[in-house]
Amino acid sequence: MINSYLDANGATNVVYEDLLQTILSSDNLQASIRFVCLQTLLNHHIKTLTTDIFPYPYYEKILQVVSAQGSNLRCLNMKGVWIKEEMMSLLNQMLKTLPKLIKLVIPYIANDDVLLHIKRHQRNLRYLDISCESDVTDIGIDYLCSSLVSKTLTIIDIGMLGEENIDHVDVASLLTHIPHLTSLGCYSFVGKALQYIIDNINPSFVSQLQYLHDTGTMMCTMNAICSTCPHLKHLY
Protein backbone atom coordinates (compact mmCIF):
# COMPACT_ATOMS: atom_id res chain seq x y z
CA MET A 1 0.00 0.00 0.00
CA ILE A 2 2.79 2.43 0.90
CA ASN A 3 4.71 1.54 -2.27
CA SER A 4 1.56 2.04 -4.37
CA TYR A 5 1.01 5.46 -2.82
CA LEU A 6 4.61 6.52 -3.45
CA ASP A 7 4.54 5.23 -7.02
CA ALA A 8 1.23 7.01 -7.71
CA ASN A 9 2.78 10.27 -6.57
CA GLY A 10 5.84 9.89 -8.78
CA ALA A 11 8.41 8.88 -6.17
CA THR A 12 11.83 8.29 -7.73
CA ASN A 13 14.52 5.90 -6.54
CA VAL A 14 16.15 8.86 -4.75
CA VAL A 15 12.97 9.43 -2.74
CA TYR A 16 12.74 5.75 -1.82
CA GLU A 17 16.40 5.57 -0.86
CA ASP A 18 16.36 8.75 1.21
CA LEU A 19 13.20 7.73 3.02
CA LEU A 20 14.48 4.25 3.83
CA GLN A 21 17.92 5.51 4.86
CA THR A 22 16.45 8.14 7.17
CA ILE A 23 14.42 5.46 8.90
CA LEU A 24 17.24 2.90 9.16
CA SER A 25 19.69 5.42 10.61
CA SER A 26 17.25 6.86 13.15
CA ASP A 27 18.28 6.51 16.80
CA ASN A 28 14.73 7.25 17.90
CA LEU A 29 13.04 4.27 16.26
CA GLN A 30 12.97 0.79 17.71
CA ALA A 31 14.69 -1.96 15.75
CA SER A 32 11.37 -3.68 15.12
CA ILE A 33 9.98 -0.57 13.39
CA ARG A 34 13.13 -0.04 11.35
CA PHE A 35 13.08 -3.66 10.22
CA VAL A 36 9.41 -3.52 9.14
CA CYS A 37 10.21 -0.38 7.13
CA LEU A 38 13.13 -2.20 5.47
CA GLN A 39 10.83 -5.09 4.67
CA THR A 40 8.18 -2.74 3.28
CA LEU A 41 10.27 -0.25 1.31
CA LEU A 42 13.06 -2.37 -0.16
CA ASN A 43 12.04 -2.85 -3.78
CA HIS A 44 13.32 -2.44 -7.34
CA HIS A 45 13.59 1.35 -6.85
CA ILE A 46 16.31 0.95 -4.22
CA LYS A 47 19.83 0.86 -5.64
CA THR A 48 21.77 1.90 -2.54
CA LEU A 49 21.23 0.39 0.91
CA THR A 50 23.03 0.90 4.20
CA THR A 51 21.53 -1.39 6.81
CA ASP A 52 22.97 0.50 9.79
CA ILE A 53 23.10 -1.04 13.28
CA PHE A 54 20.62 -3.72 14.33
CA PRO A 55 20.49 -6.08 17.31
CA TYR A 56 21.67 -9.63 16.71
CA PRO A 57 18.15 -11.23 16.56
CA TYR A 58 17.47 -9.30 13.34
CA TYR A 59 20.54 -10.40 11.39
CA GLU A 60 18.98 -13.50 9.85
CA LYS A 61 15.81 -11.62 8.89
CA ILE A 62 17.80 -8.80 7.29
CA LEU A 63 19.80 -11.24 5.17
CA GLN A 64 16.59 -12.92 4.05
CA VAL A 65 14.88 -9.64 3.14
CA VAL A 66 17.86 -8.35 1.17
CA SER A 67 18.14 -11.69 -0.64
CA ALA A 68 14.45 -11.71 -1.54
CA GLN A 69 13.94 -8.03 -2.40
CA GLY A 70 17.31 -6.47 -3.22
CA SER A 71 18.03 -7.81 -6.68
CA ASN A 72 18.39 -4.29 -8.11
CA LEU A 73 20.93 -3.10 -5.53
CA ARG A 74 24.14 -1.53 -6.82
CA CYS A 75 25.61 -0.55 -3.44
CA LEU A 76 25.20 -2.52 -0.21
CA ASN A 77 26.73 -1.49 3.12
CA MET A 78 26.22 -4.01 5.92
CA LYS A 79 28.44 -2.32 8.48
CA GLY A 80 26.54 -2.69 11.75
CA VAL A 81 25.25 -6.18 10.98
CA TRP A 82 27.97 -8.34 12.50
CA ILE A 83 27.12 -11.73 11.03
CA LYS A 84 28.31 -14.75 12.98
CA GLU A 85 29.53 -18.08 11.66
CA GLU A 86 26.15 -19.79 11.85
CA MET A 87 24.68 -17.22 9.43
CA MET A 88 27.47 -17.14 6.86
CA SER A 89 25.55 -19.49 4.58
CA LEU A 90 22.75 -16.88 4.42
CA LEU A 91 25.28 -14.20 3.50
CA ASN A 92 26.67 -16.42 0.76
CA GLN A 93 23.17 -17.11 -0.50
CA MET A 94 22.49 -13.37 -0.56
CA LEU A 95 25.52 -12.80 -2.79
CA LYS A 96 23.93 -15.07 -5.39
CA THR A 97 20.84 -12.86 -5.58
CA LEU A 98 22.57 -9.48 -6.02
CA PRO A 99 24.13 -9.66 -9.50
CA LYS A 100 24.24 -5.89 -10.08
CA LEU A 101 26.42 -4.92 -7.12
CA ILE A 102 29.25 -2.52 -7.81
CA LYS A 103 29.97 -1.70 -4.15
CA LEU A 104 29.93 -4.15 -1.23
CA VAL A 105 30.86 -3.21 2.34
CA ILE A 106 31.13 -6.16 4.76
CA PRO A 107 33.85 -5.30 7.32
CA TYR A 108 34.69 -7.73 10.16
CA ILE A 109 32.79 -10.67 8.66
CA ALA A 110 34.62 -11.73 5.48
CA ASN A 111 36.30 -15.12 5.17
CA ASP A 112 37.60 -17.33 2.37
CA ASP A 113 34.18 -18.85 1.70
CA VAL A 114 32.62 -15.40 1.24
CA LEU A 115 35.34 -14.54 -1.28
CA LEU A 116 34.66 -17.82 -3.08
CA HIS A 117 30.99 -16.84 -3.44
CA ILE A 118 32.02 -13.39 -4.67
CA LYS A 119 34.13 -15.15 -7.29
CA ARG A 120 31.21 -17.38 -8.30
CA HIS A 121 28.39 -14.85 -8.36
CA GLN A 122 29.71 -11.29 -8.75
CA ARG A 123 30.73 -9.77 -12.07
CA ASN A 124 30.69 -5.98 -11.65
CA LEU A 125 32.22 -5.09 -8.27
CA ARG A 126 34.39 -1.98 -8.26
CA TYR A 127 34.57 -1.39 -4.50
CA LEU A 128 34.96 -4.14 -1.90
CA ASP A 129 35.38 -3.51 1.83
CA ILE A 130 36.53 -6.60 3.74
CA SER A 131 38.53 -4.61 6.27
CA CYS A 132 39.18 -5.01 10.01
CA GLU A 133 39.35 -8.41 11.70
CA SER A 134 38.56 -11.22 9.30
CA ASP A 135 39.36 -14.83 8.50
CA VAL A 136 40.72 -14.12 5.03
CA THR A 137 43.79 -16.18 4.12
CA ASP A 138 45.90 -16.63 1.01
CA ILE A 139 43.21 -19.01 -0.27
CA GLY A 140 40.59 -16.25 -0.26
CA ILE A 141 43.05 -13.84 -1.86
CA ASP A 142 43.58 -16.37 -4.66
CA TYR A 143 39.80 -16.52 -5.18
CA LEU A 144 39.71 -12.76 -5.69
CA CYS A 145 42.73 -12.74 -7.96
CA SER A 146 41.23 -15.39 -10.25
CA SER A 147 37.69 -13.97 -10.30
CA LEU A 148 35.92 -11.91 -12.93
CA VAL A 149 35.86 -8.96 -10.53
CA SER A 150 39.65 -8.86 -10.71
CA LYS A 151 39.02 -7.00 -13.98
CA THR A 152 36.61 -4.46 -12.45
CA LEU A 153 37.78 -3.78 -8.89
CA THR A 154 39.40 -0.41 -8.29
CA ILE A 155 39.24 -0.27 -4.47
CA ILE A 156 39.73 -3.07 -1.96
CA ASP A 157 39.66 -1.99 1.68
CA ILE A 158 41.44 -4.79 3.52
CA GLY A 159 43.22 -5.43 6.81
CA MET A 160 43.39 -3.37 10.00
CA LEU A 161 45.05 0.00 10.32
CA GLY A 162 48.56 -0.50 11.75
CA GLU A 163 48.34 -4.31 11.89
CA GLU A 164 49.56 -6.80 9.31
CA ASN A 165 46.70 -9.26 9.76
CA ILE A 166 46.84 -9.81 6.00
CA ASP A 167 50.32 -10.85 4.86
CA HIS A 168 52.07 -8.39 2.56
CA VAL A 169 52.78 -11.26 0.14
CA ASP A 170 49.03 -11.74 -0.30
CA VAL A 171 48.58 -8.02 -0.88
CA ALA A 172 51.35 -8.20 -3.48
CA SER A 173 49.25 -10.85 -5.22
CA LEU A 174 46.25 -8.51 -5.25
CA LEU A 175 48.34 -5.73 -6.77
CA THR A 176 49.74 -7.93 -9.52
CA HIS A 177 46.49 -9.70 -10.42
CA ILE A 178 43.98 -6.84 -10.09
CA PRO A 179 45.40 -4.27 -12.50
CA HIS A 180 43.04 -1.34 -11.91
CA LEU A 181 43.46 -1.00 -8.13
CA THR A 182 43.72 2.62 -7.05
CA SER A 183 43.51 2.03 -3.29
CA LEU A 184 43.90 -0.70 -0.67
CA GLY A 185 42.05 1.35 1.92
CA CYS A 186 43.42 1.16 5.45
CA TYR A 187 46.00 -1.57 4.74
CA SER A 188 49.14 -0.16 6.35
CA PHE A 189 51.96 -2.08 4.65
CA VAL A 190 51.46 -1.34 0.97
CA GLY A 191 55.07 -0.21 0.58
CA LYS A 192 56.25 -3.57 1.92
CA ALA A 193 54.05 -5.34 -0.65
CA LEU A 194 55.40 -3.17 -3.47
CA GLN A 195 58.96 -3.87 -2.36
CA TYR A 196 58.19 -7.60 -2.43
CA ILE A 197 56.86 -7.32 -5.99
CA ILE A 198 60.01 -5.55 -7.19
CA ASP A 199 62.33 -8.01 -5.46
CA ASN A 200 60.50 -11.25 -6.23
CA ILE A 201 57.97 -10.88 -9.05
CA ASN A 202 58.50 -8.00 -11.46
CA PRO A 203 61.22 -5.35 -11.06
CA SER A 204 59.46 -3.19 -13.65
CA PHE A 205 56.04 -3.34 -12.02
CA VAL A 206 53.87 -0.19 -12.25
CA SER A 207 50.62 0.11 -10.30
CA GLN A 208 47.57 2.34 -10.67
CA LEU A 209 47.55 3.23 -6.97
CA GLN A 210 46.48 6.77 -6.15
CA TYR A 211 46.20 6.35 -2.37
CA LEU A 212 48.20 4.24 0.07
CA HIS A 213 49.17 3.75 3.69
CA ASP A 214 52.59 2.57 4.80
CA THR A 215 54.04 1.91 8.25
CA GLY A 216 57.70 1.65 9.25
CA THR A 217 58.77 3.03 5.90
CA MET A 218 62.45 2.52 5.06
CA MET A 219 64.36 4.23 2.26
CA CYS A 220 64.17 1.13 0.06
CA THR A 221 60.42 0.97 0.64
CA MET A 222 60.00 4.63 -0.30
CA ASN A 223 62.03 4.02 -3.44
CA ALA A 224 59.70 1.12 -4.29
CA ILE A 225 56.65 3.34 -3.77
CA CYS A 226 58.11 6.08 -5.96
CA SER A 227 59.03 3.74 -8.79
CA THR A 228 55.78 1.74 -8.84
CA CYS A 229 53.18 4.46 -8.15
CA PRO A 230 53.41 7.23 -10.76
CA HIS A 231 49.72 8.10 -10.24
CA LEU A 232 49.95 8.51 -6.46
CA LYS A 233 47.97 11.44 -5.01
CA HIS A 234 47.75 10.64 -1.27
CA LEU A 235 50.37 8.94 0.90
CA TYR A 236 50.09 8.24 4.63
Side-chain angles (χ1 to χ4, degrees), residues 141-179:
I141 297 296
D142 287 343
Y143 290 149
L144 270 187
C145 291
S146 59
S147 67
L148 288 177
V149 297
S150 68
K151 308 302 181 186
T152 60
L153 280 167
T154 59
I155 297 175
I156 301 177
D157 199 345
I158 192 169
M160 295 185 68
L161 189 62
E163 296 185 23
E164 195 176 353
N165 61 327
I166 304 293
D167 193 275
H168 69 279
V169 176
D170 294 331
V171 173
S173 187
L174 290 175
L175 286 165
T176 53
H177 288 87
I178 304 180

Side-chain angles (χ1 to χ4, degrees), residues 90-115:
L90 289 174
L91 174 63
N92 293 335
Q93 178 63 35
M94 184 192 73
L95 291 171
K96 296 180 183 180
T97 67
L98 307 178
K100 298 178 182 179
L101 283 181
I102 60 174
K103 181 176 181 178
L104 177 62
V105 180
I106 47 171
Y108 290 101
I109 59 178
N111 59 26
D112 292 342
D113 199 38
V114 170
L115 296 184

Side-chain angles (χ1 to χ4, degrees), residues 24 31 41 46 59 61 63 80 82-83 90-91 100 102 108 111 132-133 136 141 170 175 193 206 212 235:
L24 292 177
L41 292 173
I46 306 290
Y59 291 0
K61 297 176 182 178
L63 290 170
W82 315 121
I83 299 166
L90 289 174
L91 174 63
K100 298 178 182 179
I102 60 174
Y108 290 101
N111 59 26
C132 304
E133 293 181 5
V136 173
I141 297 296
D170 294 331
L175 286 165
V206 175
L212 70 80
L235 173 63

